[in-house]
PDB file of all heavy atoms in Angstrom:
ATOM      1  N   THR Z 375     154.159 138.384  91.513  1.00 98.00           N
ATOM      2  CA  THR Z 375     154.075 137.078  92.193  1.00 98.00           C
ATOM      3  C   THR Z 375     155.297 136.244  91.827  1.00 98.00           C
ATOM      4  O   THR Z 375     155.943 136.470  90.785  1.00 98.00           O
ATOM      5  CB  THR Z 375     152.816 136.300  91.759  1.00 98.00           C
ATOM      6  OG1 THR Z 375     152.944 135.977  90.372  1.00 98.00           O
ATOM      7  CG2 THR Z 375     151.541 137.114  91.980  1.00 98.00           C
ATOM      8  N   CYS Z 376     155.560 135.262  92.653  1.00 98.00           N
ATOM      9  CA  CYS Z 376     156.695 134.373  92.431  1.00 98.00           C
ATOM     10  C   CYS Z 376     156.527 133.622  91.101  1.00 98.00           C
ATOM     11  O   CYS Z 376     157.477 133.467  90.339  1.00 98.00           O
ATOM     12  CB  CYS Z 376     156.764 133.409  93.601  1.00 98.00           C
ATOM     13  SG  CYS Z 376     158.228 132.427  93.561  1.00 98.00           S
ATOM     14  N   GLU Z 377     155.281 133.194  90.816  1.00 98.00           N
ATOM     15  CA  GLU Z 377     155.007 132.439  89.580  1.00 98.00           C
ATOM     16  C   GLU Z 377     155.291 133.308  88.355  1.00 98.00           C
ATOM     17  O   GLU Z 377     155.916 132.859  87.391  1.00 98.00           O
ATOM     18  CB  GLU Z 377     153.536 131.983  89.522  1.00 98.00           C
ATOM     19  CG  GLU Z 377     153.152 130.912  90.513  1.00 98.00           C
ATOM     20  CD  GLU Z 377     153.027 131.459  91.943  1.00 98.00           C
ATOM     21  OE1 GLU Z 377     152.804 132.683  92.130  1.00 98.00           O
ATOM     22  OE2 GLU Z 377     153.179 130.661  92.878  1.00 98.00           O
ATOM     23  N   ASP Z 378     154.823 134.569  88.401  1.00 98.00           N
ATOM     24  CA  ASP Z 378     155.016 135.453  87.241  1.00 98.00           C
ATOM     25  C   ASP Z 378     156.498 135.785  87.042  1.00 98.00           C
ATOM     26  O   ASP Z 378     156.986 135.895  85.909  1.00 98.00           O
ATOM     27  CB  ASP Z 378     154.201 136.737  87.398  1.00 98.00           C
ATOM     28  CG  ASP Z 378     152.705 136.465  87.223  1.00 98.00           C
ATOM     29  OD1 ASP Z 378     152.346 135.335  86.848  1.00 98.00           O
ATOM     30  OD2 ASP Z 378     151.905 137.393  87.479  1.00 98.00           O
ATOM     31  N   LEU Z 379     157.220 135.949  88.143  1.00 98.00           N
ATOM     32  CA  LEU Z 379     158.663 136.203  88.041  1.00 98.00           C
ATOM     33  C   LEU Z 379     159.355 134.995  87.405  1.00 98.00           C
ATOM     34  O   LEU Z 379     160.131 135.137  86.451  1.00 98.00           O
ATOM     35  CB  LEU Z 379     159.255 136.475  89.425  1.00 98.00           C
ATOM     36  CG  LEU Z 379     160.780 136.573  89.468  1.00 98.00           C
ATOM     37  CD1 LEU Z 379     161.272 137.762  88.641  1.00 98.00           C
ATOM     38  CD2 LEU Z 379     161.286 136.686  90.906  1.00 98.00           C
ATOM     39  N   THR Z 380     159.054 133.808  87.921  1.00 98.00           N
ATOM     40  CA  THR Z 380     159.706 132.587  87.438  1.00 98.00           C
ATOM     41  C   THR Z 380     159.428 132.382  85.953  1.00 98.00           C
ATOM     42  O   THR Z 380     160.324 132.018  85.181  1.00 98.00           O
ATOM     43  CB  THR Z 380     159.191 131.369  88.243  1.00 98.00           C
ATOM     44  OG1 THR Z 380     159.430 131.640  89.619  1.00 98.00           O
ATOM     45  CG2 THR Z 380     159.892 130.093  87.851  1.00 98.00           C
ATOM     46  N   PHE Z 381     158.177 132.618  85.567  1.00 98.00           N
ATOM     47  CA  PHE Z 381     157.792 132.414  84.164  1.00 98.00           C
ATOM     48  C   PHE Z 381     158.564 133.368  83.240  1.00 98.00           C
ATOM     49  O   PHE Z 381     159.128 132.950  82.222  1.00 98.00           O
ATOM     50  CB  PHE Z 381     156.281 132.623  84.016  1.00 98.00           C
ATOM     51  CG  PHE Z 381     155.776 132.372  82.630  1.00 98.00           C
ATOM     52  CD1 PHE Z 381     155.744 131.080  82.107  1.00 98.00           C
ATOM     53  CD2 PHE Z 381     155.326 133.418  81.843  1.00 98.00           C
ATOM     54  CE1 PHE Z 381     155.270 130.841  80.818  1.00 98.00           C
ATOM     55  CE2 PHE Z 381     154.865 133.189  80.549  1.00 98.00           C
ATOM     56  CZ  PHE Z 381     154.825 131.902  80.034  1.00 98.00           C
ATOM     57  N   GLN Z 382     158.618 134.642  83.592  1.00 98.00           N
ATOM     58  CA  GLN Z 382     159.305 135.616  82.731  1.00 98.00           C
ATOM     59  C   GLN Z 382     160.806 135.352  82.668  1.00 98.00           C
ATOM     60  O   GLN Z 382     161.430 135.466  81.612  1.00 98.00           O
ATOM     61  CB  GLN Z 382     159.026 137.045  83.213  1.00 98.00           C
ATOM     62  CG  GLN Z 382     157.578 137.456  82.991  1.00 98.00           C
ATOM     63  CD  GLN Z 382     157.271 138.810  83.599  1.00 98.00           C
ATOM     64  OE1 GLN Z 382     157.291 139.828  82.922  1.00 98.00           O
ATOM     65  NE2 GLN Z 382     156.986 138.833  84.891  1.00 98.00           N
ATOM     66  N   VAL Z 383     161.370 134.969  83.812  1.00 98.00           N
ATOM     67  CA  VAL Z 383     162.810 134.650  83.825  1.00 98.00           C
ATOM     68  C   VAL Z 383     163.078 133.440  82.935  1.00 98.00           C
ATOM     69  O   VAL Z 383     164.050 133.413  82.169  1.00 98.00           O
ATOM     70  CB  VAL Z 383     163.320 134.420  85.269  1.00 98.00           C
ATOM     71  CG1 VAL Z 383     164.725 133.845  85.266  1.00 98.00           C
ATOM     72  CG2 VAL Z 383     163.289 135.725  86.059  1.00 98.00           C
ATOM     73  N   ALA Z 384     162.182 132.451  83.001  1.00 98.00           N
ATOM     74  CA  ALA Z 384     162.389 131.223  82.211  1.00 98.00           C
ATOM     75  C   ALA Z 384     162.313 131.512  80.713  1.00 98.00           C
ATOM     76  O   ALA Z 384     163.191 131.103  79.944  1.00 98.00           O
ATOM     77  CB  ALA Z 384     161.348 130.178  82.602  1.00 98.00           C
ATOM     78  N   VAL Z 385     161.268 132.225  80.289  1.00 98.00           N
ATOM     79  CA  VAL Z 385     161.082 132.464  78.847  1.00 98.00           C
ATOM     80  C   VAL Z 385     162.144 133.435  78.323  1.00 98.00           C
ATOM     81  O   VAL Z 385     162.782 133.186  77.297  1.00 98.00           O
ATOM     82  CB  VAL Z 385     159.665 133.028  78.546  1.00 98.00           C
ATOM     83  CG1 VAL Z 385     159.522 133.344  77.059  1.00 98.00           C
ATOM     84  CG2 VAL Z 385     158.589 132.045  78.990  1.00 98.00           C
ATOM     85  N   ASN Z 386     162.342 134.542  79.025  1.00 98.00           N
ATOM     86  CA  ASN Z 386     163.169 135.621  78.474  1.00 98.00           C
ATOM     87  C   ASN Z 386     164.666 135.388  78.687  1.00 98.00           C
ATOM     88  O   ASN Z 386     165.466 135.659  77.795  1.00 98.00           O
ATOM     89  CB  ASN Z 386     162.790 136.963  79.106  1.00 98.00           C
ATOM     90  CG  ASN Z 386     161.311 137.280  78.947  1.00 98.00           C
ATOM     91  OD1 ASN Z 386     160.580 136.534  78.307  1.00 98.00           O
ATOM     92  ND2 ASN Z 386     160.863 138.365  79.523  1.00 98.00           N
TER      93      ASN Z 386
END
Side-chain angles (χ1 to χ4, degrees):
T375 66
C376 188
E377 290 74 23
D378 288 352
L379 172 64
T380 304
F381 183 70
Q382 291 174 97
V383 169
V385 177
N386 304 356

